[in-house]
Amino acid sequence: MTSLTKMATFMDVNLVRYLCTCGKRLPPCRLYLCRHCLKLRCADCVQHEVDSPYCPNCLENMPASEAKLKKNRCSNCFDCPICGHTLMTRATSQMVPSSEDPSKSTPKKMYYMACSFCRWTTRDGGLADQSTSNGGWKDEENPEAKRINTLLESYRSIAQREKAEKERKKYVKRRSHAGFQDRYGLTSVAMKWKIQPAMSNLSVKETEKVPPAPELVSPVEDFDPLPSEIFSDIVQLDKVTYLSHRLNAPEFQPPATKDLRPVHKHLLVRRSLRCRECDHNLSKPDFNPLSIKFKIQLIALNHIPEIRIMAPATFSVNKETVVTFTLSNPSVYSTVVKLLPIEGDTDLDYMTAKVDLPKSDLVLALHDDTAVYDDGTKAQQEFKDDPRVVVFRRANKLGFAAKVTPFCKEGEVKVSFMMKHEFRNTAAAIQSEDKEPKLEWLEHRIFINLGRIQL
Amino acid sequence: MKSSVKIAPGAVVCDECELIGDITIGARTVIHPKARIIAEAGPVIIGEFNIIEELVHITNRFPDGAEGKKNSQVMVIGNNNVFEVGAQIESTKVGDHNVIESKAFVGPQVELTSGCIIGAACHVTTGEKLPENTVIYGAKCHRRIQRERPPAQNLQIDFLTKILPNYHYLKKVSKAQSPPK
């Protein structure tokens, strides 16, 4: 596996897992390393923050306030009301009587929208073709819009009045009549009269503007009984909408498929992740929705040595099997890795086999991007490797052998051990002077699932 | 099996397609290379203005238990149909203006009327006559009825008729006239 930039890994393979601080075990591609607390975090124990909403189809970035106005929908892109796929604009040419000579007809391009998956078109919904390619699809107004607006307005003004009253109360409470009496030598009653006009001014202003309360909707007392045709009419299932179709348009909820209209596409959100303990950003994407680069990207895969199972092996109870693992170093400094067994943990969920790890420290070379272009003539760093432990060594990768003895009769072979490695904190070093970044030892607990025991 | 293939004038049939059995191909039909039309249990009659793309298998199979009876059933395919890449048709009656998308499978008990669209990778095997303008789509083979039939592919047929002979050898048009539909 060679890659020109950072290493790639398998997102779906969950065999080698690292323990996160919240207790979950996840592969390193799903974990983040907080470089200030020096701990592993997963997507569930970090804080998600909204960076910016964007449309997944036209990739238009929208500021959050504008998105709120548009109810988090894109104004140009539509979804099929039946299957939810993106609608595509198609052109047909229609013969239209030309403006100069009414008797002749010239071809004119008309546009309609169609779904490429379920083949729904705007013509199915009864909408006429538009003459412009990108616009013209009008939104229908909510039939209850007027009533909702009057309700909103009246409640808004009530809320404003309540807020003003609260502030007034606070203001009035702070004044103590005893204090005024002493300062100005007037009786408290006179002071009250003096204060009141100032306050009453305020209250008069508020009460003047009280809008009339919205008229109450009278409850429906009775309605027509169920027509008997419901029982005798044949149900045409293709003309009736599904519940999911109706709920996609909650203002109209059309019961007939011919009334379905295109739905505006929902916006997605670019999010940035923040460590809960030290409040530093773990992952911050670029502002442009088109770009996949990150401003800050602290994925564990890019900082912590990764262990992978090199080849499958067959296991039987109480028999020792040699398994080879690869260890690769993603950082630009060489690392020393110590593998330590865990004593005294008999939790069968995590460990069903005993593992004999290499006792000596494993030294890993640094990850060199330019090594890909080398012909191999450059003199490489010499490492003294015990050939029984280190199976091979190439660039920043190392293969080591471990003996695994399962002590369960059946089930999956799981091993667990601790990995201690050197970590040079490059982020903190940038802030201080350009000395060598401080060396720290990080410890992680690793869980590996090696497969089932052969019976 | 002796092949007797009658190709109407105007049809474009590439030489690399496999035509086995008694097959009649109507005018202006385009058959791409690597298509297979096997008339095992009887003749196959293909209408006009059809597009049959690569790796399409149109098979007139023996119905279960009736092996060996030659000429027992006739497979009729109408006009203006599109069979996309990898489709497998065993149905004996296919009407007009249908679109069978890529890797779809239409079983022998199904009867397609007109304007039907069988979505990509959909397996339709129930023994029924699909109503007109049916669309079958999705992994669960959802159905819905369209208002109008799928648009005609005449532009594509013109384009293919011009381009395919530049890159492929064509089968010769037979002198006998195709039977009127």
Side-chain angles (χ1 to χ4, degrees):
Chain A
M1 160 215 73
T2 53
S3 58
L4 287 178
T5 53
K6 290 288 177 189
M7 291 189 295
T9 189
F10 303 105
M11 297 278 279
D12 298 338
V13 175
N14 272 357
L15 297 175
V16 176
R17 295 189 286 182
Y18 291 55
L19 185 69
C20 170
T21 35
C22 62
K24 277 197 276 291
R25 294 164 288 149
L26 291 160
C29 54
R30 302 258 176 224
L31 291 169
Y32 302 91
L33 176 75
C34 178
R35 60 189 174 192
H36 296 269
C37 334
L38 292 178
K39 290 209 190 121
L40 288 175
R41 307 265 180 227
C42 67
D44 291 335
C45 53
V46 298
Q47 203 175 332
H48 294 240
E49 291 177 348
V50 168
D51 224 15
S52 68
Y54 69 98
C55 169
N57 193 31
C58 58
L59 293 177
E60 181 198 334
N61 232 346
M62 238 189 253
S65 46
E66 196 187 323
K68 199 170 157 192
L69 264 179
K70 294 194 190 165
K71 301 184 193 169
N72 282 337
R73 306 268 169 167
C74 179
S75 40
N76 306 327
C77 306
F78 294 91
D79 275 346
C80 172
I82 301 235
C83 63
H85 274 231
T86 314
L87 287 175
M88 308 215 296
T89 313
R90 295 236 186 104
T92 55
S93 75
Q94 262 182 15
M95 303 305 268
V96 168
S98 83
S99 40
E100 299 106 46
D101 195 352
S103 57
K104 282 198 210 152
S105 50
T106 50
K108 188 176 168 204
K109 272 219 158 138
M110 301 293 278
Y111 301 90
Y112 65 97
M113 286 204 284
C115 171
S116 38
F117 188 56
C118 68
R119 307 271 179 149
W120 182 86
T121 63
T122 43
R123 292 175 183 164
D124 279 353
L127 293 171
D129 295 348
Q130 297 288 320
S131 45
T132 54
S133 68
N134 60 339
W137 299 105
K138 286 205 181 39
D139 292 329
E140 273 184 25
E141 214 192 277
N142 187 353
E144 308 288 331
K146 241 182 164 182
R147 172 88 184 142
I148 291 177
N149 279 336
T150 45
L151 285 171
L152 274 176
E153 267 179 38
S154 69
Y155 286 126
R156 230 178 256 148
S157 62
I158 292 177
Q160 269 184 350
R161 274 197 309 144
E162 283 187 1
K163 204 166 115 186
E165 268 190 37
K166 261 195 213 164
E167 284 179 10
R168 185 156 53 95
K169 275 192 192 154
K170 261 199 239 167
Y171 190 54
V172 169
K173 267 193 187 161
R174 277 205 224 122
R175 283 186 181 241
S176 61
H177 295 292
F180 270 95
Q181 204 175 21
D182 285 341
R183 273 188 232 158
Y184 297 105
L186 297 169
T187 57
S188 56
V189 178
M191 268 324 292
K192 261 195 211 161
W193 277 108
K194 285 225 167 159
I195 294 169
Q196 277 290 28
M199 290 289 107
S200 53
N201 241 350
L202 268 174
S203 62
V204 163
K205 262 197 227 161
E206 316 282 336
T207 46
E208 263 177 15
K209 277 193 191 167
V210 169
E215 52 175 64
L216 296 168
V217 178
S218 56
V220 178
E221 300 275 313
D222 67 326
F223 38 80
D224 302 326
L226 202 62
S228 53
E229 281 93 44
I230 283 202
F231 301 107
S232 56
D233 273 349
I234 303 169
V235 176
Q236 288 182 306
L237 281 176
D238 46 271
K239 294 233 176 6
V240 178
T241 52
Y242 288 19
L243 197 62
S244 51
H245 299 163
R246 292 186 209 185
L247 295 177
N248 275 339
E251 302 132 327
F252 310 103
Q253 294 184 33
T257 48
K258 60 178 172 55
D259 294 326
L260 284 174
R261 300 275 172 270
V263 179
H264 280 278
K265 208 164 185 57
H266 213 103
L267 298 177
L268 295 180
V269 155
R270 280 215 137 191
R271 70 184 93 167
S272 54
L273 303 170
R274 196 183 278 276
C275 171
R276 277 189 215 265
E277 284 180 23
C278 63
D279 249 6
H280 282 103
N281 264 335
L282 289 173
S283 158
K284 199 168 162 127
D286 204 30
F287 178 72
N288 188 3
L290 266 173
S291 132
I292 59 168
K293 296 206 177 138
F294 284 84
K295 283 188 197 152
I296 303 176
Q297 187 190 33
L298 288 174
I299 298 182
L301 200 59
N302 292 348
H303 296 102
I304 293 178
E306 190 196 357
I307 293 187
R308 284 203 213 181
I309 306 172
M310 192 158 119
T314 51
F315 299 95
S316 4
V317 183
N318 289 330
K319 281 214 194 122
E320 214 177 56
T321 328
V322 175
V323 186
T324 351
F325 297 99
T326 52
L327 189 63
S328 39
N329 174 22
S331 81
V332 293
Y333 297 100
S334 67
T335 324
V336 176
V337 176
K338 289 192 206 182
L339 300 167
L340 308 164
I342 297 178
E343 306 293 330
D345 192 340
T346 50
D347 193 340
L348 277 181
D349 214 13
Y350 300 151
M351 268 214 309
T352 58
K354 203 173 53 149
V355 62
D356 233 343
L357 297 160
K359 301 276 187 303
S360 52
D361 295 352
L362 301 161
V363 185
L364 284 171
L366 53 95
H367 174 79
D368 195 359
D369 283 334
T370 61
V372 187
Y373 305 106
D374 258 336
D375 294 332
T377 51
K378 186 169 135 186
Q380 290 186 353
Q381 222 178 336
E382 289 294 321
F383 294 98
K384 271 211 231 160
D385 291 329
D386 186 351
R388 285 167 302 161
V389 169
V390 175
V391 174
F392 75 91
R393 179 185 287 273
R394 191 173 65 200
N396 64 331
K397 252 198 316 185
L398 163 65
F400 68 90
K403 299 194 190 71
V404 175
T405 322
F407 44 75
C408 281
K409 285 199 208 120
E410 55 181 13
E412 293 182 335
V413 180
K414 296 186 203 176
V415 295
S416 172
F417 51 89
M418 302 291 280
M419 176 174 85
K420 259 179 122 157
H421 68 98
E422 276 180 0
F423 177 67
R424 279 170 227 266
N425 203 339
T426 47
I430 296 170
Q431 281 138 26
S432 55
E433 309 87 56
D434 48 349
K435 280 189 285 189
E436 267 283 312
K438 213 166 53 138
L439 195 89
E440 313 228 352
W441 281 92
L442 293 184
E443 209 175 85
H444 308 288
R445 177 135 178 211
I446 299 183
F447 301 85
I448 305 185
N449 183 346
L450 289 162
R452 299 199 82 88
I453 297 187
Q454 310 293 77
L455 291 161
Chain B
M1 227 186 323
K2 197 183 130 185
S3 262
S4 79
V5 179
K6 294 194 243 325
I7 304 177
V12 176
V13 181
C14 294
D15 193 38
E16 280 164 351
C17 65
E18 245 178 272
L19 303 174
I20 299 178
D22 182 7
I23 301 174
T24 313
I25 298 173
R28 302 285 280 157
T29 294
V30 179
I31 302 191
H32 288 226
K34 293 291 179 198
R36 295 177 76 197
I37 307 181
I38 299 179
E40 212 178 47
V44 173
I45 300 176
I46 300 178
E48 308 181 345
F49 288 96
N50 296 304
I51 300 180
I52 301 175
E53 294 192 354
E54 287 83 349
L55 298 177
V56 167
H57 294 202
I58 299 180
T59 321
N60 189 0
R61 225 182 264 279
F62 284 116
D64 286 329
E67 313 275 323
K69 274 198 228 157
K70 299 243 179 91
N71 284 331
S72 57
Q73 57 182 12
V74 182
M75 183 189 237
V76 178
I77 296 178
N79 307 325
N80 288 296
N81 298 303
V82 177
F83 298 91
E84 291 192 10
V85 177
Q88 303 212 13
I89 321 292
E90 292 180 8
S91 147
T92 47
K93 264 209 188 134
V94 177
D96 304 331
H97 291 97
N98 299 304
V99 175
I100 292 133
E101 288 188 3
S102 304
K103 294 214 174 187
F105 175 76
V106 182
Q109 318 278 346
V110 188
E111 194 186 309
L112 295 176
T113 45
S114 76
C116 299
I117 299 187
I118 314 283
C122 289
H123 286 234
V124 188
T125 48
T126 50
E128 63 171 323
K129 182 171 168 175
L130 289 178
E132 293 201 0
N133 293 340
T134 307
V135 180
I136 299 183
Y137 63 98
K140 299 188 198 153
C141 287
H142 294 290
R143 292 194 185 189
R144 53 174 288 268
I145 308 277
Q146 283 176 305
R147 273 253 296 250
E148 42 187 41
R149 57 179 197 215
Q153 300 290 332
N154 292 337
L155 272 174
Q156 175 79 344
I157 291 183
D158 288 339
F159 175 74
L160 288 172
T161 320
K162 257 195 308 186
I163 295 284
L164 272 177
N166 290 345
Y167 297 97
H168 295 281
Y169 295 115
L170 302 178
K171 287 208 199 283
K172 289 215 167 47
V173 168
S174 57
K175 295 200 188 111
Q177 273 212 314
S178 58
K181 277 207 65 68

